[in-house]
Amino acid sequence: MRKNLKTKAYMYPLPVLIIGTYDENGVPDAMNAAWGTVCDTAQVAIVLSAGHKTVKNLLKTKGFTVGIADAKNVVPADYVGVVSANNVPDKLAKTGWRITKSEFVNAPIIEDLPLVLECKLVSYDTDTEICIGEVINVSADDRILDENGKIDLTKFEPICYDCGGHGYYKLGEKVGDAFSDGLKLK
């Protein structure tokens, strides 16, 4: 039996994305965004409301980073989502995160997040509030890589947001092999 849950965009998993930017004075900022995805082989799409300081920043600097939050960073990741840089300009100081400048785009890298996409702004649509970024570089902490230099989700433990229950959940257990398991039905 199925139950109708009304109209809501339930999509799972929603990665917890931490969008990093610099303001016009070089002050780093970050916000939590759950509505984002890959939209091409080297592009990301993220819905960002125009009122966010992050949007004002990336429109000026044309660069931003997308850090993927992990289980170790739930508290600071949530904090940058509930506190606005429009009201607390130095909100990153409270997170304890270590910040370095990207070599590739004018945006901060949050060193404590194990995976960071460094992006150049392609477009921002004021009507849809969709930001498209071209991924210029991806940096990963050694602690989440396997012996072949590939991301190991069991070491990474990225978190996702539950839009129905407002919780964070970690991912990690492998349950199959892509482009292979389905061949059993062929």
Side-chain angles (χ1 to χ4, degrees), residues 15-37:
V16 177
L17 308 174
I18 307 301
I19 313 304
T21 59
Y22 284 121
D23 71 9
E24 64 278 356
N25 299 313
V27 175
D29 176 39
M31 68 169 282
N32 182 323
W35 295 354
T37 189

Side-chain angles (χ1 to χ4, degrees), residues 18 64-68 102 108-119 135 137-141 144 156:
I18 307 301
F64 62 98
T65 54
V66 180
I68 313 298
S102 166
I109 291 177
I110 298 170
E111 293 289 338
D112 301 271
L113 299 177
L115 185 66
V116 177
L117 287 67
E118 300 163 63
C119 303
V135 179
N137 185 56
V138 177
S139 63
D141 190 302
I144 68 165
F156 184 177

Side-chain angles (χ1 to χ4, degrees), residues 131-143:
C131 171
I132 305 290
E134 178 185 354
V135 179
I136 304 299
N137 185 56
V138 177
S139 63
D141 190 302
D142 288 338
R143 71 180 164 92

Side-chain angles (χ1 to χ4, degrees), residues 83-163:
V83 174
S84 172
N86 289 320
N87 303 322
V88 182
D90 64 342
K91 73 179 186 178
L92 276 182
K94 203 147 195 158
T95 66
W97 281 338
R98 296 165 294 131
I99 309 295
T100 58
K101 186 174 185 344
S102 166
E103 297 176 44
F104 301 94
V105 296
N106 186 15
I109 291 177
I110 298 170
E111 293 289 338
D112 301 271
L113 299 177
L115 185 66
V116 177
L117 287 67
E118 300 163 63
C119 303
K120 179 176 71 172
L121 180 65
V122 172
S123 65
Y124 180 78
D125 186 300
T126 55
D127 292 329
T128 63
E129 297 184 321
I130 295 175
C131 171
I132 305 290
E134 178 185 354
V135 179
I136 304 299
N137 185 56
V138 177
S139 63
D141 190 302
D142 288 338
R143 71 180 164 92
I144 68 165
L145 301 178
D146 66 14
E147 60 280 349
N148 298 314
K150 294 185 178 183
I151 296 168
D152 181 337
L153 289 179
T154 61
K155 293 178 179 181
F156 184 177
E157 297 185 324
I159 58 173
C160 64
Y161 171 63
D162 171 13
C163 58

